[in-house]
Amino acid sequence: TLDSIADMIKAGFVKKIIVMAGAGISTSAGIPDFRSPGTGLYANLREYKLPYPEAIFTIDYFRKNPKPFYVLAKELYPGQFVPTLSHFFVSMLAKKGLLLRHYTQNIDCLERAAGVDSDLIVEAHGSFHESHCISDQCRKEYAQDWVKEQILNDKIPRCGVCKSLVKPDITFFGEGLPSRFFELLEEDFDACDLLIVMGTSLQVQPFASLTSKVRDSVPRLLINRERVGEAKIRSLGFDFDGRFGRKALHRDALVLGDCDEACLRFSDSLGWTDELVKL
C-alpha cells in the first residue's frame, strides 16, 4: 500500500527511487495527455487535417508538412505552464537525496521548472530543451531562445547553414530514443530499490517495458487513473493481485486516481506535506 511504502522510506529501507512518469502528471497544469477519449491531444487534432493523429509526431510526415507540429508546439511551448504538485513531489524526492533518476515521457520540461536537476532527469522522448537541424549531414544545434522566438512568431525554423528544418529534440515516431536513455538504463534499474510509476498508459515501447527492468525484490507503485501495464505472463509487467507469485513475494501496489491527490496522500504519510506545500 501507499502507507507501507512510506513506512519503508521512513525506516531507511529505500534510498534509490526511480520515478517513471507520463502525461498524467502534467494534465493539471493544463497540458492535455495523448490518449484520453474526448479530451486527449489525439482526440482534438481535427483542425490539422492529419492523415492519422500520430502523424503530427511522425518524422516522415513532419519532413513533408511541418506546419501542424509547429502550430501545436506554440500551444505547448515550455514557459507557459506551471509545474504540478506531482512534479514538486519528484523534486522533493530529489531534495531528500532519494531520487536516483526521473524517467519521463513528457516533453514539457516541467520537472526542470520544479527544481529537479538535469542530471537526475532522463527525457526518454526528448524535450524542447535543445534543438537541432534535422539534416543528418548538418545537425547544427540551435539556441532554445531562438527556436522559441521563431515558433511563437508563427515562423517555421530553418537552418542557417543548409536550410533544412530545425526541430526541438523531441523524439518522433521513426526516430531513435536519446542516447542518454540507453546509457543510464541498465545501471539505474539494477541499483533501484523502489519504482514509482505515475500518469502513463504504458503503451509506448521501449519505455513501457522498463517496469520489468528492476530486480524481482524491488517494490513497485503505480499511481494512475486506470490499471495499466499488468503482466500476462510472469515477470513481464505488474502483478497487483499476486497471480504469478506467492503472497509473501507480492510487491506491486496500485493507487487509482489523480496523480496530484495521490502524491499529496503520499507526502502526508511521509510527513513531508508542509515542505511540499512550501516548494
Side-chain angles (χ1 to χ4, degrees):
T1 66
L2 201 64
D3 289 338
S4 64
I5 291 174
D7 288 342
M8 292 170 61
I9 295 173
K10 288 189 288 186
F13 295 126
V14 168
K15 296 179 179 176
K16 295 181 178 179
I17 300 173
I18 289 179
V19 177
M20 292 172 55
I25 74 167
S26 294
T27 50
S28 65
I31 301 173
D33 67 7
F34 288 84
R35 292 179 170 81
S36 289
T39 60
L41 187 66
Y42 288 152
N44 291 281
L45 293 175
R46 294 183 190 86
E47 63 183 284
Y48 301 112
K49 298 178 182 176
L50 302 166
Y52 53 95
E54 291 85 356
I56 202 163
F57 293 118
T58 301
I59 191 64
D60 288 342
Y61 182 81
F62 173 78
R63 291 179 190 277
K64 291 182 237 174
N65 184 14
K67 188 173 181 180
F69 167 75
Y70 288 122
V71 173
L72 180 64
K74 182 179 179 179
E75 294 180 32
L76 300 180
Y77 214 91
Q80 305 177 83
F81 302 95
V82 177
T84 69
L85 191 144
S86 298
H87 293 105
F88 284 111
F89 182 77
V90 176
S91 183
M92 194 76 174
L93 292 174
K95 290 180 187 303
K96 297 286 185 182
L98 294 168
L99 185 67
L100 173 61
R101 207 81 64 192
H102 178 65
Y103 282 74
T104 179
Q105 293 176 285
N106 299 334
I107 60 176
D108 52 38
C109 300
L110 288 181
E111 295 85 2
R112 296 171 185 266
V116 182
D117 192 278
S118 59
D119 287 346
L120 294 175
I121 301 171
V122 173
E123 290 159 330
H125 296 163
S127 75
F128 283 97
H129 191 63
E130 295 179 340
S131 299
H132 287 83
C133 169
I134 66 168
S135 168
D136 292 335
Q137 288 73 43
C138 181
R139 298 298 297 163
K140 178 177 169 58
E141 183 174 347
Y142 282 84
Q144 185 183 34
D145 288 345
W146 179 82
V147 176
K148 180 178 180 178
E149 182 184 1
Q150 297 290 302
I151 291 174
L152 295 186
N153 285 302
D154 301 317
K155 297 177 182 177
I156 293 179
R158 291 199 174 269
C159 178
V161 176
C162 71
K163 307 305 179 188
S164 293
L165 297 164
V166 174
K167 179 176 77 66
D169 290 355
I170 296 164
T171 304
F172 278 21
F173 295 107
E175 291 186 302
L177 268 61
S179 58
R180 178 173 167 80
F181 176 83
F182 298 104
E183 288 165 3
L184 295 174
L185 181 59
E186 297 300 331
E187 185 176 339
D188 281 353
F189 281 80
D190 281 345
C192 172
D193 54 22
L194 171 64
L195 179 65
I196 301 174
V197 183
M198 297 197 293
T200 171
S201 63
L202 290 177
Q203 290 189 26
V204 179
Q205 296 291 356
F207 188 89
S209 66
L210 297 186
T211 60
S212 300
K213 292 284 187 184
V214 293
R215 290 168 285 117
D216 290 344
S217 59
V218 174
R220 303 179 295 190
L221 167 65
L222 174 68
I223 300 171
N224 206 47
R225 290 193 180 277
E226 56 190 26
R227 294 171 72 125
V228 296
E230 291 187 83
K232 294 183 172 59
I233 59 174
R234 183 189 294 272
S235 300
L236 288 177
F238 292 119
D239 181 15
F240 300 119
D241 305 314
R243 290 179 299 149
F244 297 112
R246 297 190 305 277
K247 195 167 185 179
L249 296 178
H250 184 41
R251 46 96 177 233
D252 291 334
L254 173 66
V255 177
L256 289 175
D258 177 79
C259 290
D260 288 349
E261 291 175 9
C263 285
L264 189 57
R265 282 174 50 203
F266 207 174
S267 68
D268 282 342
S269 295
L270 289 162
W272 295 354
T273 303
D274 288 346
E275 289 178 82
L276 182 62
V277 170
K278 285 178 183 175
L279 267 186

